[in-house]
Amino acid sequence: MNNTKNKAHVSIRWEECKGCGLCTLACPLDLLSLSKSFNSHGYHPSVYEGEGCTGCGSCFFSCPEPGAITVFKKWHLMTETGYCPNCDNDYKVYKRETHPDELFCSNCLESIKLSKVE
Amino acid sequence: MAKDILRKSEVFYDNFDRKPGLDKMTTTYCPGCGHGILHKLVAEALEDFGVQDRTMFVSPVGCSVFAYYYFDVGNIQAAHGRAPAVATALKRANPESIVIDYQGDGDLAAIGGAEILNAANRGEGITVFFVNNATYGMTGGQMAPTTLIGQQTMTTPKGRTVANEGYPIKMSEIISTLKAPVYVERVMLGDVKSIRKARKSVRKAIQIQIEQNGFSFIEVLASCPSNLKKTPIDSQNWVREVLQENYPLGVYKDISAKFVSPDKSKTPVNYKDLPKVLNIEETNIDKNRIAEFTNKQFHEQFKIAGFGGQGVLSLGIVLSEMGMRHDFQVSWIPSYGPEMRGGTANCSVQLSSKNIGSPVVDRPTVLVAMNRPSIDKFEDSVAENGYIFYDSSLIDIEPQRKDINIIAIPATKIADDLGTTKVANMVIVGAIIEKLGIMSKDVVLDSIGEVIKKQKLININKRAILKGVEFIQNLTK
Ligand SMILES: Cc1ncc(C[n+]2csc(CCOP(=O)(O)OP(=O)(O)O)c2C)c(N)n1
Ligand code: SF4
């Protein structure tokens, strides 16, 4: 996950994807596919192969769900990591202007309260 | 404008708390629906232009009726087809606001045909997003004015025919024949390339409103997989290959380079001249007599409820008329029960030392209940430390709330003793005035004759008001 050789990265929220598949069609490099398992709504969410994303944003713009897809275009420049209690693992973290006192986990996109970050 | 992270716009709520049910993260739209894609483009633009805090979003009737679940901006949901009229009012009342008029093809081109045409013709400074998915989505896929010839829908099972349903309506073409619109374009959400192009048009249309106060109209060919009965991918392909064929994309009108908005901020009639123009009498305000009541800061919200015929509406009118005589801000709106005669009626009244934003009363500070159903219906809504005045000669239960002031007054009995139960409402007026202490009794008694139409009833109404005042005075003795 934290492979710094990847220029860009896409995170897809498992529970927010309705499995419409438009992103799988949109990705010029075919890096997305629908999962064989389904989420709690019964949809087969889209998943990212984990490598090769160039950050073009095609999947983001073709996705109808506001929060299902996040594209990190400068993944290789994101160096800060932190322990995410939701994911129980270390992931790259990022900031949101509207929440200056929080860090967000690049994997689940949930807030990691600053106090919990080493 | 390069961004490092493409993410959920801050113009969307983090959680869609207004949406019922457990899932507060996803929209109500079907998988692959074009509404979601367009919502994202609009939200992104509003965020980038920094206008979130002054944006008003008008949602239509149709699948996007719940846009207010998602957009963290000002929201109003309009009656079917009337979004352009609502948007007009919002923009006129507050020219600084950015007004987004979002409509489907059933909403805009069928029932709302007149509204959009005239809003466009007046050149209102609003931005219209018109989702053309060639069907009525929400109601299950009936024919829309935009449905293609030959297209099968629930109401054209053998396909739309020219002979029976006429030709598809081409709104962008029609709107662009008008003089006032600044920018009219048809775009599609048919693949990534066309979505990126639509994104530019969405931004331009909003920018024209921000910078030039001009009317823009963006028709968006979009996919409704559920009613086309296709997979999301096939449905998107259909938009690109079939729908686009019939609705040519492109800019139909663009005069933004030389457009200068006429000044719409000047209302033709001066507010002060209104009474004269409308030929209504101005209320007499005796500054000396109301002096002791003018410096109080308050905002009382009344819900006045009872059977039709008990005079609950006129009780409200008397309170607001008397409020006017004290130079307060007032509002009064009636609400009739569907049961008609003998059914329940209520009205909402506000009296305030400040401007009143909306005449709607959801959490009354004072509930007047003249029958039992009114207690059942409204007791819970009364604000903490508020009041319930109820007619204890007709209501055989007691309100249960402990955090409010409850005043049982046998208004109908008192009125009957005066000679007619019809003045029970005025007994309550007297009680309210005495208890709340926001109005002068003398002013009320002296001017009640200006409000009661039948001259011979003025005296008994005055006596009823006095009885209500006395009742409260005796309670506190
Ligand atoms: C006055 C009135 N008439 C009819 C309806 C029923 N109705 C609800 S949505 C709708 C059609 C909406 O279609 P469209 O504008 O194409 O929006 P979509 O659902 O496709 O996004 C109709 C006719 C209504 N709610 N109100
Ligand atoms: S019915 Fe059609 S327009 Fe409505 S949410 Fe579903 S796909 Fe979208």
Side-chain angles (χ1 to χ4, degrees), chain A residues 2-3 5 41 52 58 69-70 75-77 91 106-107:
Chain A
N2 290 329
N3 183 350
K5 268 180 250 153
H41 309 294
S58 295
I69 295 183
T70 302
W75 189 244
H76 60 300
L77 298 181
Y91 283 102
S106 64
N107 185 49

Side-chain angles (χ1 to χ4, degrees), chain B residues 28-30 33-35 63 133 137-138 223-227:
Chain B
T28 39
Y29 302 118
C30 308
C33 173
H35 280 302
C63 285
N133 56 14
M138 171 162 260
S223 141
C224 170
S226 301
N227 289 305

